[in-house]
Amino acid sequence: MTVSRTVCLGFLAVITVGTILLMMPFSTSSGTWNDPIVALFTATSAVCVTGLAVVDTGTDFSFWGQLFILMLFQIGGLGYMTTTTFLITLVGRKFNLRQKVAIQQTLDRPGMHGSTQVIRSIIATTMIFEITGILLLLPAFVPDYGWNEGLWLAVFHSISAWNNAGFSLFSDSLMGYQSSLLVVFTISILIIFGGIGYQVILETYLWVRDRLLEKTTNLVFSLDFKVASSTTLILLFLGTIAFFAIETKNFDTLGTQNFYHQFLAAWFQSVTTRTAGFNTIDISQMTTAGLFITIAFMFIGASPGGTGGGIKTTTLRVLTSCTKSILQGKEEVLLYERKVAISLILKAVGVLVGSVSMVLFSTILIALTEPNLDFIQILFEVVSAFATVGLSTGITSSVSIPAKLVLIVTMYVGRVGVLLLMAAVLGDPRPTRVHYPEENLLVG
């Protein structure tokens, strides 16, 4: 079996198991069997680290149901192959050649050597950030809910934020903590580092270590680090400015608050829009301009190797660099004085075309099944599902079963990736030795 099929079927297997567990009476607060569609939608949303919900996670699911959801988005955030590799390592089994190749391709490493060490480092990094998040959130939740419930709230929201899952045990997400600097800061840091990718975190750690030890050798940052970190910072800045400029005039969201609370909410909205799914303002009350900006940021998403979705920051930079090269009359694409390979440019174009096609297809299907909904609401919901964000204008629970099934498929495709899914269906692409003559073509 090919790597692409292994990953796609692996996610389906985890979703199936999650659906069965969430259907059980002990998973619901009422103690009765859960609706299969609700269980399937919730399991898919958790495994795909989306956060869209058709019921209230905090009230409709029991402790066991919430625990199962937490386990599902932890597995979904780490990735099927990473989780499987870690479990195999724990029981002391050795990997055969096919498994080593699968790990190497999943991690996008140039060779098979050291892949298991990378897996261990990823797990260790995850645990460090999640435990730190729990400790920072305790002072915010324990005074309001006591030790037992406060600890569970801190655990659930820390792990959900790191995995960019967006699931919350509060009915209004984090709107009740809109003005809490501790909660906003902690959740924001977890979301940013969870979505920026392990490679960036590792190089940041090495740079800080070298500075503290006062080493004379200078760390050479990889192109991945430069592109992912710079693009993330630019998007965070632009998003904060855009949401502050637009929503501060909207009295249903930020218009009635002081400057400090407005800036804090605009910053958090900029962070969470890029695939996290938490919200401190009422999304349904945002202006049309605010919703369109949110859609754009959701579609871009996080960075490769992270827990977020979207077309990824690197894809955006490759495509914008292509445009820049064309405008400058250059015949090669450069990023930080490095030439971008044609294969990567083609992959970026493929990701964009495939993603746009999936969003359009899903939007049309839901528009046919839900003719009474506004177009902006449908598009927002579809992009949120595809980019595994989880933000919603409030229509998720009210749409019909066919629309829910479309969203389920959209979340799944967005999580595994359009190109990976096509490779699983059609077979992994093989290089061809046949070359054809070149001819000019009018474009644009």
Side-chain angles (χ1 to χ4, degrees):
M1 185 182 294
T2 62
V3 176
S4 55
R5 288 175 184 169
T6 300
V7 173
C8 291
L9 292 176
F11 272 106
L12 284 177
V14 177
I15 291 172
T16 302
V17 172
T19 302
I20 295 172
L21 290 174
L22 293 179
M23 282 179 59
M24 298 296 176
F26 53 74
S27 292
T28 63
S29 56
S30 62
T32 58
W33 287 88
N34 202 353
D35 185 331
I37 295 297
V38 172
L40 174 61
F41 192 100
T42 306
T44 305
S45 183
V47 174
C48 298
V49 291
T50 304
L52 287 176
V54 290
V55 294
D56 190 330
T57 307
T59 58
D60 287 56
F61 287 100
S62 65
F63 167 77
W64 291 108
Q66 294 169 11
L67 180 61
F68 292 144
I69 293 172
L70 182 149
M71 294 170 63
L72 290 174
F73 61 63
Q74 180 72 87
I75 294 172
L78 287 172
Y80 169 74
M81 285 305 302
T82 301
T83 306
T84 303
T85 304
F86 178 66
L87 294 176
I88 292 175
T89 305
L90 279 183
V91 298
R93 282 181 53 190
K94 293 184 178 181
F95 300 96
N96 58 37
L97 181 60
R98 176 172 291 184
Q99 289 171 329
K100 289 181 179 180
V101 172
I103 297 168
Q104 176 243 328
Q105 293 184 6
T106 302
L107 297 175
D108 198 20
R109 289 177 59 83
M112 291 182 285
H113 178 70
S115 294
T116 53
Q117 284 76 15
V118 172
I119 295 290
R120 293 192 185 99
S121 299
I122 292 174
I123 299 296
T125 302
T126 298
M127 293 180 65
I128 290 171
F129 272 93
E130 289 179 349
I131 292 173
T132 303
I134 292 169
L135 296 176
L136 291 174
L137 290 174
L138 282 176
F141 294 146
V142 169
D144 295 338
Y145 298 94
W147 266 104
N148 290 338
E149 189 174 356
L151 176 61
W152 176 236
L153 288 171
V155 170
F156 191 93
H157 287 87
S158 177
I159 297 176
S160 180
W162 169 259
N163 290 286
N164 281 220
F167 276 91
S168 176
L169 298 181
F170 302 116
S171 300
D172 59 355
S173 190
L174 296 177
M175 290 177 62
Y177 291 89
Q178 183 187 67
S179 59
S180 172
L181 179 62
L182 178 61
V183 173
V184 170
F185 171 79
T186 303
I187 298 295
S188 296
I189 292 299
L190 289 170
I191 290 170
I192 292 170
F193 279 95
I196 206 167
Y198 169 77
Q199 181 71 26
V200 175
I201 296 174
L202 175 62
E203 293 189 31
T204 303
Y205 162 75
L206 294 175
W207 182 83
V208 172
R209 185 196 64 181
D210 290 349
R211 297 286 78 75
L212 293 176
L213 296 177
E214 297 182 352
K215 290 188 176 181
T216 56
T217 56
N218 292 324
L219 175 68
V220 179
F221 290 113
S222 67
L223 186 60
D224 279 322
F225 177 92
K226 294 176 182 177
V227 172
S229 58
S230 61
T231 308
T232 297
L233 291 174
I234 291 170
L235 291 175
L236 288 173
F237 174 77
L238 293 178
T240 302
I241 298 301
F243 288 121
F244 183 85
I246 294 173
E247 292 302 323
T248 50
K249 300 177 182 178
N250 182 4
F251 290 97
D252 293 323
T253 54
L254 301 179
T256 59
Q257 301 179 33
N258 59 40
F259 176 83
Y260 169 73
H261 291 161
Q262 288 176 339
F263 179 80
L264 203 61
W267 156 259
F268 189 79
Q269 188 65 21
S270 178
V271 173
T272 192
T273 297
R274 304 240 329 285
T275 87
F278 294 104
N279 61 283
T280 56
I281 63 175
D282 190 347
I283 303 298
S284 64
Q285 298 300 319
M286 290 180 67
T287 61
T288 302
L291 291 176
F292 266 112
I293 291 174
T294 303
I295 289 172
F297 278 94
M298 289 194 299
F299 189 72
I300 294 169
S303 300
T307 56
I311 64 172
K312 302 294 190 295
T313 54
T314 50
T315 302
L316 174 68
R317 284 296 293 275
V318 169
L319 294 173
T320 53
S321 296
C322 285
T323 305
K324 180 181 176 182
S325 295
I326 292 172
L327 294 176
Q328 293 178 340
K330 296 179 180 178
E331 295 186 356
E332 58 183 17
V333 179
L334 300 176
L335 276 171
Y336 295 99
E337 299 180 348
R338 293 292 185 272
K339 181 181 177 180
V340 180
I342 294 297
S343 58
L344 292 180
I345 297 174
L346 294 176
K347 185 177 181 180
V349 173
V351 168
L352 178 64
V353 173
S355 299
V356 171
S357 300
M358 186 65 200
V359 167
L360 289 176
F361 183 66
S362 298
T363 302
I364 292 170
L365 288 180
I366 295 182
L368 291 173
T369 60
E370 309 294 326
N372 295 324
L373 290 178
D374 293 337
F375 171 76
I376 186 68
Q377 290 180 305
I378 298 174
L379 181 62
F380 191 98
E381 199 81 6
V382 169
V383 174
S384 180
F386 177 78
T388 69
V389 179
L391 293 176
S392 175
T393 56
I395 67 172
T396 313
S397 59
S398 61
V399 297
S400 62
I401 292 178
K404 287 186 176 73
L405 293 176
V406 172
L407 290 174
I408 288 171
V409 174
T410 305
M411 288 188 289
Y412 175 74
V413 175
R415 181 63 184 94
V416 300
V418 176
L419 298 185
L420 186 70
L421 183 63
M422 292 300 294
V425 174
L426 304 176
D428 288 334
R430 297 179 180 179
T432 178
R433 295 182 179 179
V434 179
H435 298 280
Y436 296 93
E438 184 178 303
E439 186 173 346
N440 199 10
L441 178 68
L442 296 177
V443 176

